[in-house]
């Protein structure tokens, strides 16, 4: 049975990684299975980014980024990871990805786009 952190099915790309050995092991297993892995909400879940493999993609989420000292949390890892910008669009009154994009720009992080724009096909 996969660690609790894996969202929905084991093959899903999002992983909730609490600061627990089982969650870090699940990251390793997903990568070993050649699956893309996005570490979701790491600052809100107290994920230790030192323990996250550099092949993972780390999320900067609009809803959670303001809850921490984001410069101290994400800054040291700017060169270690690729980052995706996210927002919990289902939450009322959130500012799409504006805050997360501000954080990324302030840290000189370039957003990683994981999927091609399908609207052109």
């Amino acid at each position: 049975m996969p660690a609790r952190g894996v969202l929905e099915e084991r093959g899903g790309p999002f992983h909730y990684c609490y600061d627990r050995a089982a969650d870090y092991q699940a990251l390793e297993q997903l990568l070993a299975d050649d699956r893309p892995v996005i570490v979701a909400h790491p600052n809100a879940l107290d994920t230790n980014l030192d323990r996250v493999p550099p092949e993972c993609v780390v999320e900067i989420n609009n809803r959670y980024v303001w809850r921490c000292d984001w410069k101290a949390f994400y800054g040291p890892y700017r060169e270690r990871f690729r980052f995706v910008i996210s927002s919990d669009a289902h939450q009322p009154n959130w500012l799409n990805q504006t805050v997360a994009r501000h954080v990324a720009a302030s840290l000189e992080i370039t957003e990683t786009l994981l999927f091609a724009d399908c609207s052109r096909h």
Side-chain angles (χ1 to χ4, degrees), residues 2-49:
R4 186 177 131 229
V6 179
L7 180 64
E8 294 191 22
E9 61 179 357
R10 189 166 187 272
F14 288 94
H15 182 74
Y16 293 119
C17 188
Y18 294 85
D19 193 18
R20 300 183 304 211
D23 287 344
Y24 297 111
Q25 290 169 350
L27 287 174
E28 296 285 355
Q29 184 59 52
L30 288 166
L31 291 170
D33 291 346
D34 199 29
R35 299 185 188 273
V37 180
I38 300 169
V39 178
H41 316 331
N43 62 309
L45 302 179
D46 295 323
T47 304
N48 180 348
L49 292 177

Side-chain angles (χ1 to χ4, degrees), residues 48-120:
N48 180 348
L49 292 177
D50 285 327
R51 296 183 66 186
V52 173
E55 299 83 11
C56 293
V57 178
V58 173
E59 176 195 46
I60 298 175
N61 184 290
N62 224 43
R63 181 177 178 194
Y64 299 105
V65 73
W66 59 270
R67 294 184 183 187
C68 71
D69 177 352
W70 48 266
K71 287 182 181 179
F73 187 83
Y74 291 105
Y77 303 99
R78 294 177 34 237
E79 302 296 325
R80 178 181 168 108
F81 298 109
R82 293 179 301 145
F83 291 85
V84 292
I85 307 301
S86 179
S87 177
D88 287 348
H90 64 278
Q91 297 293 326
N93 303 317
W94 286 105
L95 304 171
N96 56 47
Q97 297 175 341
T98 304
V99 175
R101 287 188 192 284
H102 168 76
V103 167
S106 296
L107 294 172
E108 298 180 357
I109 290 173
T110 301
E111 178 180 9
T112 298
L113 300 177
L114 300 177
F115 304 101
D117 182 0
C118 297
S119 63
R120 293 187 233 165

